[in-house]
Amino acid sequence: MFIQTEATPNPATLKFLPGRPVLESGTLDLRSAEDAAKSPLAERLFEIKGVDGVFYGSDFITVSKADGEWPQLKPAILGAIMEHFMSGAPLLKEGEGGAADDEFFEESDAEVVTTIKDLLETRVRPAVANDGGDITFKGFKEGIVYLHMKGACSGCPSSTATLRHGIQNLLKHYVPEVVEVRPV
């Protein structure tokens, strides 16, 4: 098994591509050892000193570090990922899955929200996934779109610029009702 790695815009996060599907649908952001109890692989990764976040996408895993250097952390992370996939163990424990995110918006804004979600799904999420993260719609109120940034995007130094200049400008261009985009 050969696992590729890619840098992300977030220097504290590295993207691992195992060359096979990781998560069948959606994404899963595990930010603590308690969250990691949902996944045998995440539990192993959190045992590595310095690891403080694991994110699963459809075909990638991003790992975030609190401290340490990638040249020292990367071999242990690669080993844990390889051992997990070679063992055939499930990614998630029985009955565990991504938690459904609660959304909020007025019923009268349903058409606007549908357009916002479509733009996020077709134009934004593929680019964000390419950088090892995900972005999901959380709500819309009084012209403000609330988004949840996950994986490499969470805590990324450039995430504010991405929200303000990229996503906000895109949404304002196509959806005149949008006045601002904020992270949750």
Side-chain angles (χ1 to χ4, degrees):
M1 175 177 198
F2 179 72
I3 302 171
Q4 294 179 322
T5 59
E6 291 179 1
T8 71
N10 184 347
T13 303
L14 200 56
K15 183 176 176 182
F16 295 83
L17 300 139
R20 60 178 62 180
V22 175
L23 200 58
E24 281 186 38
S25 64
T27 59
L28 185 59
D29 196 14
L30 306 165
R31 291 270 148 223
S32 68
E34 293 77 36
D35 287 348
K38 298 176 182 178
S39 166
L41 174 57
E43 285 180 315
R44 290 180 80 169
L45 291 170
F46 270 95
E47 288 173 1
I48 299 168
K49 186 176 179 343
V51 170
D52 79 338
V54 175
F55 177 82
Y56 297 140
S58 61
D59 63 349
F60 66 90
I61 301 160
T62 57
V63 177
S64 300
K65 66 180 179 83
D67 54 275
E69 298 300 322
W70 285 120
Q72 287 75 40
L73 293 169
K74 191 172 156 183
I77 294 167
L78 285 167
I81 294 171
M82 187 175 300
E83 285 177 24
H84 176 81
F85 281 107
M86 298 303 283
S87 75
L91 185 69
L92 301 175
K93 291 182 178 174
E94 194 69 34
E96 295 290 350
D101 289 332
D102 292 330
E103 297 178 351
F104 59 91
F105 57 90
E106 297 293 324
E107 194 59 42
S108 59
D109 293 326
E111 191 173 318
V112 170
V113 168
T114 300
T115 304
I116 291 168
K117 286 180 172 183
D118 183 56
L119 287 167
L120 290 172
E121 194 64 36
T122 59
R123 305 239 178 157
V124 178
R125 287 186 80 200
V128 173
N130 198 39
D131 285 339
D134 193 18
I135 190 163
T136 54
F137 176 85
K138 287 296 287 177
F140 180 74
K141 186 175 183 178
E142 298 173 1
I144 301 171
V145 178
Y146 296 89
L147 302 175
H148 185 201
M149 300 185 82
K150 305 175 191 176
C153 299
S154 178
C156 177
S158 63
S159 65
T160 302
T162 299
L163 275 178
R164 293 272 185 250
H165 303 296
I167 299 167
Q168 181 172 289
N169 289 344
L170 172 82
L171 293 178
K172 285 170 87 172
H173 177 77
Y174 288 102
V175 186
E177 294 86 351
V178 173
V179 294
E180 186 181 352
V181 174
R182 292 185 188 166
V184 175

